[in-house]
Amino acid sequence: MDARETLRMAGRSIRSHKLRSALTVIGVVIGIASVVTFASVGASVEADIVSEVGSSSASNVYVLPTPAGEGDDGPGFGGVSQPVFTEHDVKQLEKTKGVRQVLPRGNVRVSALTHANDTVSRNQITATTPASFPQDAIVAGRAFRSGAREAVVSRSARQAFESNLSVGDTLSIETEDGNATTVDVVGVVNRTAGQLPFASFAGQPRFYVPTDPFYERTLESPAVGASQRAYPQLTVVADPARVSTVKGSVQNYLAGSDAAELKPESVELTAQTSGDFVEEIQDIVGQVTRFVTAIAVIALVVAAIGIANIMLVSVAERTREIGIMKAVGARNRDVMGLFLAEATVLGAVGAVVGLPLGIAVSYGATVYAEVAFTPAYGWFVIAVAVGILVGVVAGLYPAWRAARVDPIDALRYE
Amino acid sequence: MSSTAGTSSADDSVVRLADVRKTYDLGGTVEALAGVSLALAAGSYTAVMGPSGSGKSTLLNLVGALDTPTEGRVTVADHDVGTDSEAERAGIRGTEIGFVFQTFNLMPRLDATENVALPLLFDDWSRERRRERARELLSLVGLGDRRDHRPNELSGGQRQRVAIARALAPDPAVVLADEPTGNIDTETGAEIMGLLDDVNARGNTVLLVTHERAIAEHADRIVHIRDGTIESIESLDGAGRDA
Ligand SMILES: Nc1ncnc2c1ncn2[C@@H]1O[C@H](COP(=O)(O)OP(=O)(O)OP(=O)(O)O)[C@@H](O)[C@H]1O
Ligand SMILES: [Mg+2]
């Protein structure tokens, strides 16, 4: 009996009990759809994060203190906000070969911001240097000047107040101790050169002021012996072709830096490229995806049990038919093939229905999460293959039972 | 009346049983057949009679390659039924044997044509040839107008006609009928027997199991078995045929 006839017969017997077959297939559909969904959403989130990091920060080396002893997974990006990098460190790093700029970054504690009589409460704003605003990042106006009472804001900051904030407006900054300073808004930016790879994710309003005169955290530099501004984070902008060399040089310098002397025991200094961050993110997303997908695989196992169960029922019900087929010349392997084909068709139909469903659901999920949809094509192929495999595996034992039916026994009783 | 088993007989035998034993082990051993030798000449018409449990069905199952002898040899059209190869035995059943059962044993979801064509499906005939052959045979058994009916849409007599057509499909060496009229009324039974007579008249070898004398008398000879052995072979010489 050839494969086509076997499939035809299998299809017939599936159609002869539609409801039961449909219910069995639903199990496979759910399994395949979940695998495809989780794999695709995972791939999309990962791809989105990677593209978010993009080229704008590809040549950045982030220098920051992180909690010590985090194991092999790298320092992680939960930095500790310890002002340890002195102006001396900034100067030294700027002299390092391959380094274009060193952008210090610190927080200024504030209590509120006021624009046109609308006051918004806020804990901190960012202090940095004018070099943080490259020309292509400026949407309107210009960068602030060092030493000036000026501010640059992010695009979303324009809507932070009741009346729109724009270049030329003034902003009143109320400090913790209750004093207020007025600054001129001189520019609007869509990113900063020193920002962490995923900073633009948040899209929240940001306000930037020059470190001079606003940033006041100081420490005595062990190298210079004088009090200097000290920052919790530096971004070293490297020559794009020499990012990894620069990372190495930075790490070397850090060992003998002011920061190394000033930092508490519990903290270590790290230099990470955005590539390091991407790897970490990929690692985490990958782990989550694998875990969730593994759970979805359980749904497939349940589906396989469903098929096996229904096939065993089918074999029991059709014992007499098996006897008839054998009496008229069916070989064991013909009978085996029939039942195996039936189980395989159930699995394949489940996969064929489950795949587009999974794609649709994962597409919906990415739209909802505002993440670009990246189909996990590899998983699509795997899902269909697994669906068919589930059918085959689930059908093996029932088909073997069917093949072993003794025609004399099967035909003896009415 | 002849009392010899006649195994040594002519080379034109299509079925031969030589000292066949079949025992079942169920705690003690049950000897269903205790040394049976018998030959069926091509085109012959043989009936087997005997009390319940005497081994009639066992004999038929051996000739039909559904079972293998414990001892001795069964051949059908020169194929050894005792072969260890299950596939080979299936092949014998599919091409050399035509079964007609008391309970019809048709596939409930297949229509008459498909039921008749079933043995040919396993013998790898093409779809077109299978259909053609099945239609031909259904016309032969008088069911040309019931081809598309499923078994549950047919009367008992019609079902048995479909079964006879199916038995003839592969042009078998022997047609085996186990109580073919057991599940139908006397009048329809007579029609079925008439059909089997026609089948034999067209040159097919027929082996029939029955416990009704009147049915057995359709054959050329009656093999009486008791306790797994042949008690006697009664030759009818056509006398009972048209009685
Ligand atoms: N599978 C089996 N296992 C054990 N014993 C069996 C088996 N099949 C048949 N027998 C025994 O073999 C003997 C012959 O059985 P068989 O079915 O051939 O009888 P029969 O002549 O066809 O009877 P009936 O007229 O009632 O159909 C019986 O004693 C029966 O119990
Ligand atoms: Mg019997």
Side-chain angles (χ1 to χ4, degrees), chain B residues 205-224:
Chain B
T205 311
V206 177
L207 180 59
L208 168 72
V209 165
T210 182
H211 58 264
E212 281 181 63
R213 175 83 199 175
I215 299 289
E217 280 175 353
H218 282 258
D220 304 333
R221 56 175 184 164
I222 302 175
V223 175
H224 294 274

mmCIF file of all heavy atoms in Angstrom, chain B residues 205-224:
data_model
loop_
_atom_site.group_PDB
_atom_site.id
_atom_site.type_symbol
_atom_site.label_atom_id
_atom_site.label_comp_id
_atom_site.label_asym_id
_atom_site.label_seq_id
_atom_site.Cartn_x
_atom_site.Cartn_y
_atom_site.Cartn_z
ATOM 1 N N THR B 205 -12.242 -22.632 -6.871
ATOM 2 C CA THR B 205 -12.232 -23.660 -5.841
ATOM 3 C C THR B 205 -12.924 -23.095 -4.609
ATOM 4 O O THR B 205 -12.639 -21.963 -4.211
ATOM 5 C CB THR B 205 -10.782 -24.037 -5.487
ATOM 6 O OG1 THR B 205 -10.078 -24.280 -6.699
ATOM 7 C CG2 THR B 205 -10.729 -25.240 -4.575
ATOM 8 N N VAL B 206 -13.840 -23.863 -4.025
ATOM 9 C CA VAL B 206 -14.587 -23.357 -2.874
ATOM 10 C C VAL B 206 -14.467 -24.331 -1.710
ATOM 11 O O VAL B 206 -14.582 -25.545 -1.889
ATOM 12 C CB VAL B 206 -16.081 -23.134 -3.227
ATOM 13 C CG1 VAL B 206 -16.858 -22.668 -2.000
ATOM 14 C CG2 VAL B 206 -16.236 -22.145 -4.364
ATOM 15 N N LEU B 207 -14.194 -23.776 -0.536
ATOM 16 C CA LEU B 207 -14.195 -24.573 0.691
ATOM 17 C C LEU B 207 -15.195 -23.924 1.640
ATOM 18 O O LEU B 207 -15.074 -22.749 1.986
ATOM 19 C CB LEU B 207 -12.793 -24.600 1.312
ATOM 20 C CG LEU B 207 -12.636 -25.403 2.617
ATOM 21 C CD1 LEU B 207 -13.013 -26.871 2.426
ATOM 22 C CD2 LEU B 207 -11.204 -25.289 3.132
ATOM 23 N N LEU B 208 -16.194 -24.725 2.043
ATOM 24 C CA LEU B 208 -17.338 -24.196 2.762
ATOM 25 C C LEU B 208 -17.471 -24.905 4.097
ATOM 26 O O LEU B 208 -17.379 -26.125 4.167
ATOM 27 C CB LEU B 208 -18.582 -24.455 1.890
ATOM 28 C CG LEU B 208 -19.982 -24.276 2.455
ATOM 29 C CD1 LEU B 208 -20.283 -22.804 2.648
ATOM 30 C CD2 LEU B 208 -20.993 -24.907 1.501
ATOM 31 N N VAL B 209 -17.646 -24.150 5.166
ATOM 32 C CA VAL B 209 -17.887 -24.755 6.475
ATOM 33 C C VAL B 209 -19.337 -24.502 6.856
ATOM 34 O O VAL B 209 -19.838 -23.383 6.719
ATOM 35 C CB VAL B 209 -16.960 -24.136 7.545
ATOM 36 C CG1 VAL B 209 -17.463 -24.483 8.950
ATOM 37 C CG2 VAL B 209 -15.537 -24.630 7.372
ATOM 38 N N THR B 210 -20.024 -25.552 7.268
ATOM 39 C CA THR B 210 -21.422 -25.384 7.660
ATOM 40 C C THR B 210 -21.812 -26.504 8.605
ATOM 41 O O THR B 210 -21.122 -27.526 8.695
ATOM 42 C CB THR B 210 -22.349 -25.369 6.429
ATOM 43 O OG1 THR B 210 -23.695 -25.161 6.863
ATOM 44 C CG2 THR B 210 -22.257 -26.675 5.662
ATOM 45 N N HIS B 211 -22.872 -26.314 9.350
ATOM 46 C CA HIS B 211 -23.370 -27.442 10.125
ATOM 47 C C HIS B 211 -24.747 -27.863 9.623
ATOM 48 O O HIS B 211 -25.418 -28.693 10.203
ATOM 49 C CB HIS B 211 -23.404 -27.104 11.629
ATOM 50 C CG HIS B 211 -24.243 -25.907 11.952
ATOM 51 N ND1 HIS B 211 -23.711 -24.659 12.095
ATOM 52 C CD2 HIS B 211 -25.573 -25.784 12.132
ATOM 53 C CE1 HIS B 211 -24.671 -23.795 12.357
ATOM 54 N NE2 HIS B 211 -25.814 -24.465 12.384
ATOM 55 N N GLU B 212 -25.157 -27.270 8.487
ATOM 56 C CA GLU B 212 -26.448 -27.659 7.902
ATOM 57 C C GLU B 212 -26.213 -28.595 6.729
ATOM 58 O O GLU B 212 -25.532 -28.253 5.766
ATOM 59 C CB GLU B 212 -27.186 -26.407 7.402
ATOM 60 C CG GLU B 212 -27.869 -25.618 8.506
ATOM 61 C CD GLU B 212 -28.602 -24.420 7.920
ATOM 62 O OE1 GLU B 212 -29.542 -24.625 7.137
ATOM 63 O OE2 GLU B 212 -28.203 -23.283 8.224
ATOM 64 N N ARG B 213 -26.797 -29.708 6.811
ATOM 65 C CA ARG B 213 -26.659 -30.715 5.763
ATOM 66 C C ARG B 213 -27.093 -30.146 4.397
ATOM 67 O O ARG B 213 -26.414 -30.326 3.386
ATOM 68 C CB ARG B 213 -27.541 -31.926 6.136
ATOM 69 C CG ARG B 213 -27.609 -33.027 5.114
ATOM 70 C CD ARG B 213 -26.418 -33.955 5.246
ATOM 71 N NE ARG B 213 -26.254 -34.724 4.009
ATOM 72 C CZ ARG B 213 -25.259 -35.547 3.780
ATOM 73 N NH1 ARG B 213 -24.339 -35.712 4.731
ATOM 74 N NH2 ARG B 213 -25.159 -36.212 2.665
ATOM 75 N N ALA B 214 -28.208 -29.446 4.384
ATOM 76 C CA ALA B 214 -28.746 -28.934 3.124
ATOM 77 C C ALA B 214 -27.758 -27.984 2.448
ATOM 78 O O ALA B 214 -27.620 -27.989 1.228
ATOM 79 C CB ALA B 214 -30.071 -28.219 3.372
ATOM 80 N N ILE B 215 -27.085 -27.207 3.256
ATOM 81 C CA ILE B 215 -26.103 -26.274 2.702
ATOM 82 C C ILE B 215 -24.899 -27.051 2.188
ATOM 83 O O ILE B 215 -24.407 -26.824 1.079
ATOM 84 C CB ILE B 215 -25.649 -25.261 3.789
ATOM 85 C CG1 ILE B 215 -26.824 -24.425 4.304
ATOM 86 C CG2 ILE B 215 -24.527 -24.367 3.279
ATOM 87 C CD1 ILE B 215 -27.357 -23.404 3.343
ATOM 88 N N ALA B 216 -24.462 -28.023 2.996
ATOM 89 C CA ALA B 216 -23.285 -28.811 2.633
ATOM 90 C C ALA B 216 -23.503 -29.560 1.319
ATOM 91 O O ALA B 216 -22.560 -29.799 0.565
ATOM 92 C CB ALA B 216 -22.946 -29.795 3.752
ATOM 93 N N GLU B 217 -24.733 -29.892 1.046
ATOM 94 C CA GLU B 217 -25.011 -30.681 -0.158
ATOM 95 C C GLU B 217 -24.838 -29.904 -1.454
ATOM 96 O O GLU B 217 -24.921 -30.473 -2.540
ATOM 97 C CB GLU B 217 -26.424 -31.288 -0.064
ATOM 98 C CG GLU B 217 -26.399 -32.542 0.821
ATOM 99 C CD GLU B 217 -27.777 -33.144 1.060
ATOM 100 O OE1 GLU B 217 -28.772 -32.497 0.637
ATOM 101 O OE2 GLU B 217 -27.831 -34.218 1.665
ATOM 102 N N HIS B 218 -24.569 -28.612 -1.335
ATOM 103 C CA HIS B 218 -24.240 -27.848 -2.539
ATOM 104 C C HIS B 218 -22.875 -28.263 -3.075
ATOM 105 O O HIS B 218 -22.569 -28.046 -4.237
ATOM 106 C CB HIS B 218 -24.233 -26.340 -2.234
ATOM 107 C CG HIS B 218 -25.607 -25.750 -2.162
ATOM 108 N ND1 HIS B 218 -26.163 -25.011 -3.182
ATOM 109 C CD2 HIS B 218 -26.554 -25.817 -1.191
ATOM 110 C CE1 HIS B 218 -27.395 -24.625 -2.827
ATOM 111 N NE2 HIS B 218 -27.645 -25.105 -1.619
ATOM 112 N N ALA B 219 -22.052 -28.848 -2.199
ATOM 113 C CA ALA B 219 -20.680 -29.186 -2.586
ATOM 114 C C ALA B 219 -20.607 -30.520 -3.328
ATOM 115 O O ALA B 219 -21.590 -31.242 -3.435
ATOM 116 C CB ALA B 219 -19.810 -29.235 -1.334
ATOM 117 N N ASP B 220 -19.386 -30.814 -3.835
ATOM 118 C CA ASP B 220 -19.151 -32.095 -4.503
ATOM 119 C C ASP B 220 -18.939 -33.193 -3.485
ATOM 120 O O ASP B 220 -19.196 -34.353 -3.730
ATOM 121 C CB ASP B 220 -17.861 -32.047 -5.346
ATOM 122 C CG ASP B 220 -17.884 -30.928 -6.356
ATOM 123 O OD1 ASP B 220 -18.998 -30.536 -6.768
ATOM 124 O OD2 ASP B 220 -16.788 -30.439 -6.722
ATOM 125 N N ARG B 221 -18.347 -32.760 -2.350
ATOM 126 C CA ARG B 221 -18.082 -33.742 -1.310
ATOM 127 C C ARG B 221 -18.144 -33.063 0.050
ATOM 128 O O ARG B 221 -17.969 -31.844 0.151
ATOM 129 C CB ARG B 221 -16.724 -34.406 -1.510
ATOM 130 C CG ARG B 221 -15.603 -33.417 -1.587
ATOM 131 C CD ARG B 221 -14.248 -34.117 -1.656
ATOM 132 N NE ARG B 221 -13.199 -33.092 -1.621
ATOM 133 C CZ ARG B 221 -11.946 -33.353 -1.352
ATOM 134 N NH1 ARG B 221 -11.557 -34.590 -1.077
ATOM 135 N NH2 ARG B 221 -11.061 -32.391 -1.353
ATOM 136 N N ILE B 222 -18.399 -33.902 1.044
ATOM 137 C CA ILE B 222 -18.497 -33.366 2.398
ATOM 138 C C ILE B 222 -17.426 -34.031 3.253
ATOM 139 O O ILE B 222 -17.333 -35.256 3.300
ATOM 140 C CB ILE B 222 -19.882 -33.636 3.020
ATOM 141 C CG1 ILE B 222 -20.988 -33.014 2.140
ATOM 142 C CG2 ILE B 222 -19.953 -33.058 4.435
ATOM 143 C CD1 ILE B 222 -22.393 -33.333 2.609
ATOM 144 N N VAL B 223 -16.609 -33.195 3.905
ATOM 145 C CA VAL B 223 -15.601 -33.725 4.816
ATOM 146 C C VAL B 223 -16.181 -33.643 6.223
ATOM 147 O O VAL B 223 -16.520 -32.559 6.694
ATOM 148 C CB VAL B 223 -14.299 -32.902 4.731
ATOM 149 C CG1 VAL B 223 -13.285 -33.381 5.760
ATOM 150 C CG2 VAL B 223 -13.723 -32.976 3.320
ATOM 151 N N HIS B 224 -16.344 -34.783 6.867
ATOM 152 C CA HIS B 224 -16.873 -34.803 8.225
ATOM 153 C C HIS B 224 -15.712 -34.813 9.193
ATOM 154 O O HIS B 224 -14.864 -35.690 9.112
ATOM 155 C CB HIS B 224 -17.733 -36.060 8.444
ATOM 156 C CG HIS B 224 -18.974 -36.042 7.583
ATOM 157 N ND1 HIS B 224 -20.134 -35.426 7.952
ATOM 158 C CD2 HIS B 224 -19.211 -36.579 6.357
ATOM 159 C CE1 HIS B 224 -21.044 -35.565 7.000
ATOM 160 N NE2 HIS B 224 -20.502 -36.270 6.014
#
